[in-house]
Amino acid sequence: MIENPYCEKLNRAEVKLWQSKRPVLENLDIELTERCNCNCIHCYINLPADDRNALRRELSTEEVKEILRQATLLGCLRVRFTGGEPLLRDDFSEIYTAARRLGLRVALLTNATLITPEIARLLASIPPLEPIEITVYGMERESYEAVTRTPGSFQAAWQGIHLLLAEGIPFIVKGALLPPNRLEVERFEQWASTIPWMDKPPLYSLLFDLRARRDSMEKNRHIRALRISPEDLVEFLSRRREEYLKQVRAFCSRFTQPPGNRLFPCGAGVGGACADAYGAFQMCLLLRHPDTVYDLKKGSLRHAIEEFFPKVREIKARDHEYLNRCARCFLNGLCEQCPAQSWMENGTLDTPVEYLCEITHAQARHVGLLGESEMSWEVEEWKERIRRFSESRSIGQDYVSRKSASR
């Protein structure tokens, strides 16, 4: 076990937070870079690996270490390094070691192409205590590199994966359902089941966010063209019918209700937050609207979490369509609509995202929460629907069908 050299420096006030309430900060995401050695067709954030402007602006090694140190003083126990490709940073090993010496569990999100024998040995000698997360873009070179648009990336990724296996370093894999690899899902899942640390089927990226910096309308058009249709999404999600229905029931029973004019009914900025590659502190990984980010070069994590974020969370929706639809929608727990999505899609915090609305309604109709012609914001007896849906045992045993049959 790595000792925490800062534990002795914690004063009574900082230790007291453990005794009286939850830590100020439980989880921290850090985008170490937006640069990536791949150029994936669907990526919402990537910049070229040699982007000089990004390199010039990125946080220094010491600045990242200071953010980590502040996080531990606020009670943080887990950090997730993401990007871009975090292993592109020449100082990754130093940053990783610093995080572990602070006692932080480290989750690493990577494409695995830059995992070298040296990196593998580091991860083996100082375990991250969280499984590494690898996105696999295809099971064949042709499909994989049709996504990454980077020759040699398929072989490099598999070399990285085999290095982790050889060292016994825990990792899990995820997929991204895209046109070049959609016919490989079964093969991917069969292979994933052989990985010792995969105790359930892999997760997938399905909806694909637009460019988080709103920096390329052309790239956004390409990303939109890759998105799965609502009908195909429902078919994909319900492949394991009973498991899917069980998950939807559990989620609906806990989170589904109209949010009103609150823009942040979620937990964004409460217990977790994200520092981007340049020192902007965000309530969540995707929320980059300039009115919602805090400059860590001018302040501290504590001030952001205790003073700035609570004020952002008080922002109310004012968009007419949002108030007429989203604010009254009882399916908001199933929907990805949020200020971050509105920002990426529309440049606002509260404009409804039509694609997400269509996706949500398709799922609700499939499981029987809505009739074919119903819109969720028109439903008045939504509590009764949720109750009956949660008590039913299969698709088709729903409130809508029974109510229609009784007429």
Side-chain angles (χ1 to χ4, degrees), residues 98-128:
R100 290 295 294 113
R101 288 193 180 281
L102 285 166
L104 291 163
R105 302 196 311 272
V106 175
L108 172 63
L109 277 59
T110 177
N111 59 34
T113 60
L114 298 180
I115 295 176
T116 62
E118 293 75 22
I119 291 291
R121 285 195 293 269
L122 171 66
L123 297 172
S125 62
I126 309 177

Side-chain angles (χ1 to χ4, degrees), residues 264 269 283 291-292 303-316 349:
F264 295 97
M283 291 169 57
D291 292 344
T292 67
H303 184 264
I305 295 168
E306 294 185 338
E307 302 293 336
F308 181 74
F309 288 168
K311 293 177 182 177
V312 174
R313 288 182 57 83
E314 291 176 1
I315 297 175
K316 299 295 191 289
L349 289 173

Side-chain angles (χ1 to χ4, degrees), residues 32-33 85-90 92 108 110 112 114-116 119:
L32 290 179
T33 181
E85 173 49 55
L87 294 180
L88 262 180
R89 294 239 347 188
D90 294 336
F92 173 79
L108 172 63
T110 177
L114 298 180
I115 295 176
T116 62
I119 291 291

Side-chain angles (χ1 to χ4, degrees), residues 306-352:
E306 294 185 338
E307 302 293 336
F308 181 74
F309 288 168
K311 293 177 182 177
V312 174
R313 288 182 57 83
E314 291 176 1
I315 297 175
K316 299 295 191 289
R318 292 187 289 184
D319 181 87
H320 180 73
E321 280 299 303
Y322 184 99
L323 294 173
N324 279 339
R325 293 165 45 184
C326 304
R328 299 165 55 200
C329 175
F330 76 101
L331 299 175
N332 73 299
L334 290 177
C335 186
E336 297 290 327
Q337 170 73 42
C338 69
Q341 294 293 341
S342 288
W343 165 249
M344 289 185 288
E345 298 269 343
N346 303 307
T348 70
L349 289 173
D350 61 354
T351 306

Side-chain angles (χ1 to χ4, degrees), residues 161-176:
I161 288 170
H162 287 304
L163 283 170
L164 296 180
L165 286 169
E167 293 285 353
I169 301 166
F171 70 92
I172 59 174
V173 294
K174 304 178 294 184

Side-chain angles (χ1 to χ4, degrees), residues 55-122:
L55 272 166
R56 177 182 57 82
R57 295 174 55 220
E58 284 175 5
L59 292 169
S60 69
T61 309
E62 293 306 314
E63 286 173 326
V64 175
K65 287 182 181 180
E66 173 60 19
I67 290 173
L68 293 171
R69 188 191 71 82
Q70 289 186 36
T72 60
L73 295 180
L74 297 179
C76 186
L77 293 175
R78 180 180 183 270
V79 63
R80 182 169 63 165
F81 291 136
T82 183
E85 173 49 55
L87 294 180
L88 262 180
R89 294 239 347 188
D90 294 336
D91 57 358
F92 173 79
S93 294
E94 184 177 351
I95 290 172
Y96 172 80
T97 303
R100 290 295 294 113
R101 288 193 180 281
L102 285 166
L104 291 163
R105 302 196 311 272
V106 175
L108 172 63
L109 277 59
T110 177
N111 59 34
T113 60
L114 298 180
I115 295 176
T116 62
E118 293 75 22
I119 291 291
R121 285 195 293 269
L122 171 66

Side-chain angles (χ1 to χ4, degrees), residues 24-28 267-274 281-284 305 309:
V24 176
L25 180 65
E26 298 178 66
N27 299 286
L28 174 66
V270 179
C274 171
F281 201 39
Q282 304 162 189
M283 291 169 57
C284 76
I305 295 168
F309 288 168

